[in-house]
Amino acid sequence: MITNQQQIQQAESSAMKIRRQSQLLSSQLQSIRERLYEPEAAKSLKTFTSREVAALLGIAESTLRQMSLDGESAIPDRQDNGRRIYTLHQVNQIREHLAQKRPNEALVFLPRRRAGDKLQVVAVANFKGGSAKTTTTVHLAHYLAIRGLRVLAIDLDPQASLSAMFGYQPEFDVDENETVYAAIRYDDRRRSVHEVIRRTYFAGIDLIPANLELMEYEHETPHAIADGYGRGDEIFFRRLLTVISEVEADYDIVLVDAPPQLGYLTLGALCAATALLITIHPAMIDVASMNQFLAMMSDLMGVIEKRGGTLSHDFIRYVITRHNPNDGPQVNVVTLLRSLFKEDVLAPAVAETTAIASAGLENKSLYELSRGVGRDTLSRALESVDSVNREIFHHIKNVWGR
């Protein structure tokens, strides 16, 4: 006997079925988010202990305690057990205070770019799924913000995974014309980029979120080129660069999570970028896919340069992700990449760890995780991610002449 539900399903077209399942999943994801972040259904950043703050600032914990007793700079809250806890906003206030108090160490306490330092636009790219592109982007954003830098994260991926990591579910929280598409579109509905930038719960990080409307740019650009948008700043590969230049004074670093394909958005990201990170999982099938990505990218870059585009990156680095150093085939792949690309492969690699997977289940980075994994597991994972981010930041500071 055929049930009513079976009759409905038989009558559905594939499009109708997929749409219905998408709506069911979206509703469930929203429900899960509300349970995770009750009662406001919004993410919030953890606080930091005195020991953590002292380590971040590079000062003795006793010095920090004395500053608190003297009412110097930010005054922390106290837990029931009397321990002092600081928000990241308060940590940044202390950074600014110490930078003014000790001008010779100002760059140590507050390593933001100074007058004359070039804004760093770092694009994270690859079109192979599973390369940890978004995870790399969010961990780098959090690492830099914890160190006092002002970061703008731009989600260029219509799948909006980066937006979700910052607590924005694209179907519910990002309306029409609220992505970067609004600032680079070709018609009279174009908006200022200032109108689509959102503050996040993570002090020091702003976000331009994504949703499926970004695909419109891929569809419209060929028609726009045919209609004459093919010169100067109006050409497709300069539009994102023009948008970023409008907010250059507000940030130290812009991170761009590029789409997993070589479309017009990705080419715009490559042209806007001052640096490029290519994520790679060390398996032969992933390396073969990356090779195709590199071949296609070089061909398209050549086309852009013939059209007057300038592609010059301060550094290009390959980031080894999800690496298991006890896996022989993976070790062989990493050895191959290092022998071919030399110093262009970051020396540290992101280890494959259950900690990152556990954090991902809650749409968190390791820097936000306080439960769910063992302390030792979390410490080893953080050491791995910190090493990678520290080297990337080292390259950025080299560009700034430090």
Side-chain angles (χ1 to χ4, degrees):
M1 181 175 179
I2 298 177
T3 65
N4 289 338
Q5 181 66 24
Q6 288 173 323
Q7 289 176 336
I8 291 172
Q9 291 178 353
Q10 288 175 357
E12 283 183 317
S13 67
S14 294
M16 292 169 61
K17 180 178 183 178
I18 292 171
R19 185 179 301 111
R20 174 175 59 81
Q21 291 174 337
S22 172
Q23 291 169 348
L24 283 171
L25 183 57
S26 292
S27 177
Q28 188 62 30
L29 289 172
Q30 177 73 352
S31 177
I32 291 171
R33 186 180 70 162
E34 290 173 354
R35 290 200 303 271
L36 283 174
Y37 310 124
E38 291 178 335
E40 295 89 0
K43 294 188 74 175
S44 60
L45 182 58
K46 71 169 190 175
T47 53
F48 299 83
T49 66
S50 295
R51 178 178 295 180
E52 290 173 326
V53 174
L56 281 173
L57 299 175
I59 61 176
E61 191 174 353
S62 58
T63 301
L64 185 64
R65 187 183 306 112
Q66 192 61 49
M67 289 175 63
S68 173
L69 292 173
D70 294 341
E72 193 176 349
S73 189
I75 307 301
D77 292 331
R78 285 182 179 268
Q79 295 177 314
D80 293 339
N81 58 10
R83 290 181 178 177
R84 296 173 176 83
I85 54 172
Y86 297 79
T87 65
L88 183 54
H89 177 69
Q90 289 173 322
V91 175
N92 287 335
Q93 286 181 313
I94 298 172
R95 285 184 181 281
E96 293 176 3
H97 173 76
L98 289 173
Q100 292 178 350
K101 186 177 180 180
R102 308 182 193 177
N104 291 338
E105 301 174 81
L107 283 176
V108 175
F109 293 122
L110 200 63
R112 293 175 181 170
R113 68 188 184 103
R114 301 295 194 260
D117 292 343
K118 180 169 65 172
L119 175 71
Q120 284 295 285
V121 181
V122 182
V124 186
N126 203 333
F127 66 20
K128 178 68 174 69
S131 68
K133 180 173 58 67
T134 297
T135 303
T136 299
T137 306
V138 75
H139 276 105
L140 181 57
H142 288 181
Y143 175 91
L144 294 170
I146 288 172
R147 277 144 191 81
L149 281 84
R150 303 166 301 167
V151 179
L152 174 62
I154 302 178
D155 194 349
L156 277 189
D157 188 346
Q159 297 177 77
S161 298
L162 182 66
S163 303
M165 292 292 286
F166 281 99
Y168 292 105
Q169 191 172 335
E171 309 97 301
F172 294 98
D173 303 319
V174 186
D175 292 332
E176 183 183 357
N177 221 29
E178 290 188 348
T179 70
V180 78
Y181 170 68
I184 60 175
R185 64 189 300 162
Y186 299 96
D187 59 22
D188 57 8
R189 295 187 61 199
R190 190 170 179 178
R191 303 174 66 186
S192 166
V193 67
H194 293 277
E195 297 177 34
V196 295
I197 292 175
R198 303 191 185 194
R199 300 285 183 188
T200 72
Y201 67 95
F202 210 110
I205 303 178
D206 290 347
L207 173 74
I208 301 180
N211 64 18
L212 289 175
E213 78 170 6
L214 286 170
M215 293 301 299
E216 296 298 319
Y217 189 72
E218 304 291 345
H219 300 151
E220 292 174 2
T221 294
H223 300 289
I225 294 173
D227 291 340
Y229 288 95
R231 299 178 183 276
D233 291 343
E234 291 297 310
I235 195 166
F236 75 90
F237 56 76
R238 289 201 183 102
R239 295 174 87 83
L240 183 61
L241 175 61
T242 301
V243 162
I244 290 173
S245 68
E246 294 175 21
V247 293
E248 179 176 355
D250 300 329
Y251 301 101
D252 305 303
I253 295 171
V254 176
L255 298 179
V256 182
D257 188 14
Q261 70 270 340
L262 275 173
Y264 296 110
L265 285 168
T266 300
L267 291 174
L270 294 176
C271 291
T274 60
L276 180 60
L277 299 177
I278 300 172
T279 54
I280 175 65
H281 176 237
M284 285 308 299
I285 190 170
D286 295 77
V287 172
S289 175
M290 184 186 72
N291 185 47
Q292 295 301 308
F293 174 76
L294 296 176
M296 292 173 61
M297 185 165 63
S298 63
D299 288 344
L300 291 170
M301 283 180 164
V303 172
I304 288 173
E305 288 176 336
K306 289 179 181 178
R307 295 291 300 271
T310 301
L311 288 162
S312 179
H313 298 105
D314 294 320
F315 60 89
I316 298 174
R317 292 294 182 271
Y318 296 87
V319 184
I320 305 296
T321 64
R322 297 170 49 220
H323 178 39
N324 179 358
N326 298 315
D327 185 313
Q330 282 200 20
V331 171
N332 291 337
V333 169
V334 173
T335 301
L336 172 66
L337 291 173
R338 294 194 190 284
S339 68
L340 294 174
F341 298 155
K342 311 298 182 187
E343 69 278 358
D344 286 338
V345 180
L346 285 186
V350 179
E352 186 170 31
T353 169
T354 56
I356 292 179
S358 297
L361 290 174
E362 299 182 40
N363 277 346
K364 291 181 178 180
S365 78
L366 292 178
Y367 299 110
E368 301 172 278
L369 203 61
S370 57
R371 58 182 176 82
V373 296
R375 179 178 296 180
D376 290 343
T377 300
L378 180 57
S379 294
R380 286 193 298 270
L382 277 170
E383 183 180 353
S384 166
V385 171
D386 271 344
S387 296
V388 169
N389 290 332
R390 189 182 303 116
E391 183 164 333
I392 295 169
F393 190 27
H394 172 74
H395 290 306
I396 291 171
K397 288 190 287 187
N398 276 346
V399 176
W400 289 341
R402 303 179 194 171

